[in-house]
């Protein structure tokens, strides 16, 4: 089964051809980072226009690099995301569905991220063949990016039990905002990560929001505000001129994020009686987090996708869609900015 996937929910125009939900023939990503950099964040209208300008080239390249195969279906991110951006991908995918006479498959963006540890290899990071019937081993997935901080139990390739999510900012969003505050540029996550490696994580006494709370939700806006107060105390100018101090600030912020993410994931694993954890989404590239996962989560089998499958990509959409074959979306299906991640039905049933 050969599926063309299209992803355009935020600031990456992406297309990919994936065979049987695992083997990636092409994975083309046109990033808009240089376009949004000067604004310090994604500007939705500019992003939609850039998707329109890029999508034909990106899809053509993905098909070409895959050897121009006969595709069996076209899959697209239906939501959640920026509506103008999603519409570009969804309407383009519909056109392909109609002109090629192939089914249209609609995928939840976070479902794609949660599926990403299975991509790119015959057996996934836990040594499991995701396509073998009855072979699926449940795992806790921590989906952390600029738009999401969610935790779910993946009970099947596209079956989820939601555990919790952020009540305010996503963790990547908090990284981006604090980076902007101290003049580091966009996207802030990788820049803070790099500086954090050279800093003292105990320099600031920052809160660990929700770390001991019941349930599995997250909150990062209080941490962001506490960080902003520390910046105010020192002054942005002083920070900008002192690289070591900036590194200390970054290390302290990163340590707080990692403590919270690890504690919440550990609680979920313990409560659910599971030993497998997938960490997915853009923030899964964080080097400090990767090191902490390796050293602090004893007895847990952690899977982190390759970096190209951590940030937004279409291989995860085409891969996940393999498990939606036989459940096509209506050609009248529309993109939706808000979409619950509760079951595969959420991604394909709607014709609204
Ligand atoms: O998954 P993604 O490409 O897009 C969304 O679905 O949001 O994630 C992008 C986010 C940005 O907020 C970016 O700052 C963050 O992931 N990010 C990182 C790192 N690399 C990317 N955050 C922390 N450390 C990193 N190394
Ligand atoms: Zn994403």
């Amino acid at each position: 089964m050969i599926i063309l996937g299209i992803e355009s929910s935020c600031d990456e125009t992406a297309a990919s051809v994936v065979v049987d939900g695992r083997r990636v023939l092409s994975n083309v990503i046109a990033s808009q980072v240089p376009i949004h950099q000067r604004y310090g964040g994604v500007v939705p209208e500019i992003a939609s226009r850039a998707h329109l300008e890029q999508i034909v080239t990106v899809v053509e390249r993905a098909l070409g690099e895959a050897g121009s195969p006969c595709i069996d279906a076209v899959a697209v991110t239906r939501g959640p995301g920026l509506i103008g951006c999603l519409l570009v991908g969804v309407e383009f995918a519909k056109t392909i569905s109609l002109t090629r006479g192939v089914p249209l498959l609609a995928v939840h963006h976070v479902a794609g991220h949660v599926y990403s540890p299975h991509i790119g290899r015959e057996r996934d990071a836990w040594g499991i063949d995701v396509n073998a019937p009855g072979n699926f081993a449940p795992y806790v997935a921590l989906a952390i990016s600029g738009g999401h901080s969610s935790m779910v139990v993946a009970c099947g390739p596209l079956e989820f039990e939601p555990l919790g999510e952020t009540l305010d900012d996503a963790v990547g969003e908090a990284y981006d905002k604090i980076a902007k505050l101290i003049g580091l540029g966009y996207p802030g996550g990788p820049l803070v990560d790099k500086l954090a490696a050279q800093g003292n994580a105990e320099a600031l006494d920052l809160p660990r929001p929700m770390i001991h709370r019941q349930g599995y939700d997250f909150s990062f806006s209080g941490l962001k505000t506490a960080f902003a107060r520390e910046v105010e105390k020192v002054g942005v100018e002083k920070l900008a001129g002192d690289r070591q101090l900036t590194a200390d600030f970054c290390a302290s912020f990163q340590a707080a994020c990692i403590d919270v993410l690890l504690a919440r994931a550990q609680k979920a694993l313990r409560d659910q009686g599971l030993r497998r954890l997938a960490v997915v989404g853009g923030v899964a590239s964080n080097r400090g987090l990767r090191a902490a996962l390796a050293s602090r989560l004893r007895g847990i089998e952690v899977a982190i996708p390759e970096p190209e499958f951590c940030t937004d990509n279409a291989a995860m959409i085409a891969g996940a869609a393999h498990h939606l074959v036989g459940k096509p979306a209506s050609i009248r299906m529309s993109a939706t900015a808000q979409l619950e991640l509760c079951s595969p039905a959420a991604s394909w049933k709607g014709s609204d």
Side-chain angles (χ1 to χ4, degrees), residues 150-180:
S150 325
M151 205 152 47
V152 302
V153 177
C155 318
L158 274 187
E159 279 170 47
F160 311 108
E161 257 176 47
L163 293 176
E165 59 189 299
T166 184
L167 303 177
D168 39 60
D169 290 353
V171 61
E173 186 183 357
Y175 264 93
D176 294 340
K177 285 180 177 167
I178 67 108
K180 190 175 179 183

Side-chain angles (χ1 to χ4, degrees), residues 109 113 145 148 312:
H109 179 78
H113 277 303
S145 69
H148 319 276
D312 285 349

Side-chain angles (χ1 to χ4, degrees), residues 181-207:
L181 187 70
I182 56 175
L184 286 186
Y186 175 84
L191 303 167
V192 173
D193 188 15
K194 199 167 166 206
L195 277 166
Q198 299 146 30
N200 170 15
E202 286 166 19
L204 303 180
D205 185 16
L206 294 173

Side-chain angles (χ1 to χ4, degrees), residues 323-337:
H323 303 275
L324 288 172
V325 169
K327 298 170 183 167
S330 158
I331 201 69
R332 272 172 290 280
M333 175 269 289
S334 60
T336 167

